Amino acid sequence: MRLLLLLQVLLFLFTVVARAPTAAHAWRKEGHYMVCKIAENFLTSEASAAVAKLLPDWAGGELAATCSWADDERRKYPWSGELHFADTQGDCQFIYDRDCHNMKGEKDMCVVGGINNYTAALMNSSAPSVDPTVSLMFLAHFLGDIHQPLHCGSVQDYGGNTIAISWYNRTMTNLHRVWDQDIVDKAMKDYYGNDLSIMTNVIMLNITENWSDEEEQWEMCTSKTKTCADKYAMESAQLACDVAYAGVKQGSVLGDEYFFSALPVVRKRIAQGGVRLAAILNRIFSESGSSSRLQSS
């Protein structure tokens, strides 16, 4: 018993450090790759050509190859750490003016602010000097982050990072990591032969078939002066309450019941992230001559 308590304390301390701006991740590489690979398939020819021109040489012409760059280069851009999430007050709501700030209280420093600002930088040729390739890679990554429900989780537990759980009674981990990686890993192993391309293609098939009546609503954004990222954060905050935190407490053992409730949400959020990333890029590169600058919500 003492050993278990010690392990939980050590895990708690580890996850507090992991939630610091230089270390937190979302969806891991697999989830981000799928979001961006789906987006590639929904780009207009105009947007696809514009994106291809901005990609770094090492990407091999593939947007999806760049979509974990913002995590990989976190130490180079330490100020960007708090742009990967938008912790809420645990009330199942995201409210921009209340929640979009960093630990110092500086406004617009959250994932919604990051999406708004990098969209604006790409749309506005008169924007401050920001490398458009860097802007594209941050934007693509943040669209994945905002669709992971616990990236809009409660500030009290750092988006589930300090909730120690046992995954299938085999691995001591934390709730945030379960959503970042463990659910996707188990789905890949159990259903897709550990083949990322198969899982991606199945999700894309669901978009065009099972979710075809929803897809147009996902990408809809009527605002001409801002993105709709605040809406995506609100969705994630609600899903965090309804699914991610549901029935979970310190020391919970999570298994099939939890996995089967979470997996449909993970699949759909990856799909929504891809469709919405494409919609934003299509809008940017069809309106790239516009002088209007997008504003935060």
Side-chain angles (χ1 to χ4, degrees), residues 22-276:
T22 57
H25 297 277
W27 290 136
R28 299 290 172 169
K29 291 182 181 295
E30 292 81 5
H32 281 291
Y33 181 90
M34 287 188 282
V35 167
C36 289
K37 181 55 68 175
I38 290 165
E40 289 175 5
N41 285 270
F42 284 87
L43 292 176
T44 64
S45 57
E46 183 181 12
S48 183
V51 166
K53 290 179 181 178
L54 292 179
L55 292 175
D57 291 342
W58 54 261
E62 185 181 25
L63 175 63
T66 72
C67 286
S68 293
W69 171 89
D71 280 337
D72 297 338
E73 297 294 325
R74 192 80 64 92
R75 291 186 178 181
K76 184 176 180 180
Y77 303 93
W79 47 264
S80 72
E82 288 166 306
L83 297 179
H84 291 250
F85 58 91
D87 285 343
T88 70
Q89 297 303 305
D91 56 359
C92 313
Q93 298 184 76
F94 170 80
I95 301 171
Y96 191 94
D97 289 341
R98 181 192 71 180
D99 299 322
C100 193
H101 58 80
N102 63 15
M103 293 180 180
K104 297 177 181 178
E106 296 170 332
K107 291 291 187 180
D108 304 325
M109 294 295 290
C110 76
V111 68
V112 178
I115 290 170
N116 289 338
N117 291 335
Y118 284 111
T119 299
L122 285 168
M123 287 187 74
N124 189 353
S125 59
S126 65
S129 180
V130 179
D131 184 337
T133 295
V134 170
S135 295
L136 173 64
M137 293 192 293
F138 270 130
L139 176 62
H141 184 88
F142 293 156
L143 257 292
D145 282 348
I146 201 171
H147 284 85
Q148 204 272 57
L150 287 177
H151 272 246
C152 299
S154 173
V155 68
Q156 283 80 19
D157 53 51
Y158 297 94
N161 269 283
T162 62
I163 300 178
I165 61 93
S166 175
W167 183 240
Y168 278 86
N169 211 18
R170 294 192 299 269
T171 305
M172 285 299 297
T173 184
N174 67 72
L175 187 62
H176 192 97
R177 181 185 170 91
V178 166
W179 281 80
D180 273 357
Q181 181 169 359
D182 294 333
I183 295 167
V184 171
D185 284 352
K186 181 170 173 57
M188 289 267 293
K189 178 182 177 182
D190 289 359
Y191 302 119
Y192 307 112
N194 282 322
D195 190 324
L196 188 58
S197 64
I198 294 176
M199 186 171 181
T200 306
N201 288 334
V202 169
I203 292 175
M204 284 196 288
L205 188 64
N206 280 328
I207 295 171
T208 56
E209 294 188 359
N210 297 341
W211 301 324
S212 59
D213 58 339
E214 302 176 48
E215 182 262 325
E216 188 173 335
Q217 292 180 331
W218 294 351
E219 65 183 47
M220 186 177 298
C221 182
T222 58
S223 174
K224 295 298 183 182
T225 59
K226 62 182 182 181
T227 73
C228 289
D230 54 336
K231 179 177 78 172
Y232 313 154
M234 184 66 181
E235 292 169 353
S236 281
Q238 189 65 58
L239 286 167
C241 284
D242 293 347
V243 183
Y245 287 123
V248 180
K249 58 185 180 180
Q250 286 288 350
S252 287
V253 177
L254 304 183
D256 279 347
E257 183 178 357
Y258 190 87
F259 173 72
F260 289 126
S261 70
L263 180 58
V265 175
V266 168
R267 287 172 175 149
K268 183 171 279 191
R269 292 306 276 171
I270 288 172
Q272 289 173 321
V275 167
R276 287 164 169 170

